[in-house]
Amino acid sequence: MSEPNEYLCPAELVALVEHANLSLDALRVFHALCFITDKHPFFKITSMSRPVQRSLDVLSRKLIACAFPRSTNDLRAIGPAMSELGDARLIESFQLGASARDLSFRFSRAVIEAYTSRPKNGQFAMIDTSMLSCASSSAQLLFYTRVAMHAPAKVPEFYIPGLDPGTSPWSKIRRRWIGAACKLSRVLPHGYLFCPEVDFASDVVIRMRVKISHDATTWFPGRLYHRVADKPPVAVFNGSSVALTRGEMRAREHWTRVQGPA
């Protein structure tokens, strides 16, 4: 059951948004549109699909109040964000009033299908809209979305999206993802362990697995930390990060939480 400030975002929709490469403002507006549609008492997202193809009318100030910092007192971000969502084929059509106060929009077929095709027991993230205004980068919002989807598990873990050894190597995107985790660890009572997975032939990082620990996780000794690692894992806790040496990994072998210094 969702809280008043939450909405259910299926895993299929999470993946669709990750591949869209959106700016922070576009991510904020998209999640705000999903939240408002989800909470509307007389409108269903399926009404946007054929043959009905109804649009939903929204006051732009509601999007600002839902997803932007409290200091935001104008509507200038809405138009460019909607255009970006249209270019990414997440929005099929939209119209802004002359003063940008009124917005009429319709989600794309891909979004509608991602939103409605979730299997009965499929994964989902409960997105807390209060987190939208806290983020200061798109990576922070994307990282939060993955955490929201996986943190309820007993041994939660996920892979960083968008890592490609050819076009987006870990060395290029490392700073923004570690920074996103550091900021989130100040807000949520979590620890995060970034575990590189490498190509055995070239020693290049091909995937980055993130393990989450908190009071309700049940990591067993030796499963959270491994004594042997191809590249140093990075532990994130309470707003800071540290690359662990092999000696530190051996010292933490039986730990079941990501914490500060050993």
Side-chain angles (χ1 to χ4, degrees):
M1 187 71 178
S2 64
E3 296 295 327
N5 60 328
E6 294 178 338
Y7 87 93
L8 189 152
C9 185
E12 295 80 5
L13 188 55
V14 170
L16 189 66
V17 172
E18 286 175 344
H19 285 92
N21 194 28
L22 299 174
S23 67
L24 175 59
D25 281 352
L27 279 171
R28 282 173 168 162
V29 169
F30 181 78
H31 283 296
L33 293 174
C34 289
F35 172 75
I36 288 172
T37 304
D38 182 71
K39 295 300 183 181
H40 199 290
F42 309 116
F43 191 94
K44 299 295 182 183
I45 192 171
T46 50
S47 300
M48 295 184 177
S49 59
R50 292 185 176 92
V52 180
Q53 291 190 295
R54 286 181 58 195
S55 295
L56 182 60
D57 298 327
V58 181
L59 291 175
S60 296
R61 62 178 173 79
K62 289 190 175 182
L63 299 178
I64 295 295
C66 176
F68 286 75
R70 291 184 179 181
S71 58
T72 307
N73 56 12
D74 62 60
L75 309 175
R76 287 179 292 180
I78 300 298
M82 293 300 294
S83 295
E84 187 176 343
L85 293 174
D87 292 341
R89 298 183 179 180
L90 297 177
I91 296 294
E92 186 171 286
S93 68
F94 75 93
Q95 287 184 333
L96 275 173
S99 60
R101 293 181 180 178
D102 307 307
L103 169 66
S104 179
F105 78 98
R106 189 166 69 246
F107 285 124
S108 69
R109 180 178 177 180
V111 168
I112 296 169
E113 289 181 349
Y115 204 93
T116 58
S117 63
R118 181 176 72 92
K120 184 177 181 180
N121 296 318
Q123 279 190 313
F124 61 88
M126 294 303 301
I127 301 297
D128 184 343
T129 54
S130 66
M131 298 294 292
L132 302 179
S133 61
C134 298
S136 57
S137 72
S138 57
Q140 288 172 14
L141 258 186
L142 294 173
F143 190 84
Y144 162 70
T145 304
R146 278 283 164 180
V147 167
M149 183 162 62
H150 294 279
K154 293 299 183 182
V155 285
E157 59 184 8
F158 64 93
Y159 286 95
I160 291 293
L163 192 160
D164 185 299
T167 58
S168 296
W170 178 241
S171 59
K172 184 177 179 179
I173 64 176
R174 178 187 186 278
R175 183 175 179 179
R176 67 187 184 113
W177 287 109
I178 297 293
C182 285
K183 180 159 186 177
L184 195 61
S185 70
R186 297 189 193 104
V187 179
L188 300 177
H190 293 169
Y192 306 108
L193 190 65
F194 285 71
C195 305
E197 296 185 0
V198 303
D199 178 81
F200 293 110
S202 64
D203 204 32
V204 172
V205 176
I206 54 176
R207 296 200 299 179
M208 182 60 64
R209 179 164 55 167
V210 179
K211 299 178 180 179
I212 308 169
S213 78
H214 51 74
D215 287 345
T217 55
T218 57
W219 290 101
F220 293 115
R223 188 171 178 185
L224 179 60
Y225 293 91
H226 296 293
R227 292 182 61 185
V228 179
D230 296 305
K231 286 185 178 292
V234 175
V236 174
F237 180 76
N238 199 25
S240 62
S241 64
V242 59
L244 303 177
T245 65
R246 285 185 172 84
E248 289 169 326
M249 288 293 289
R250 286 193 293 270
R252 299 178 185 220
E253 181 182 5
H254 298 290
W255 287 21
T256 58
R257 295 286 186 274
V258 179
Q259 301 176 27

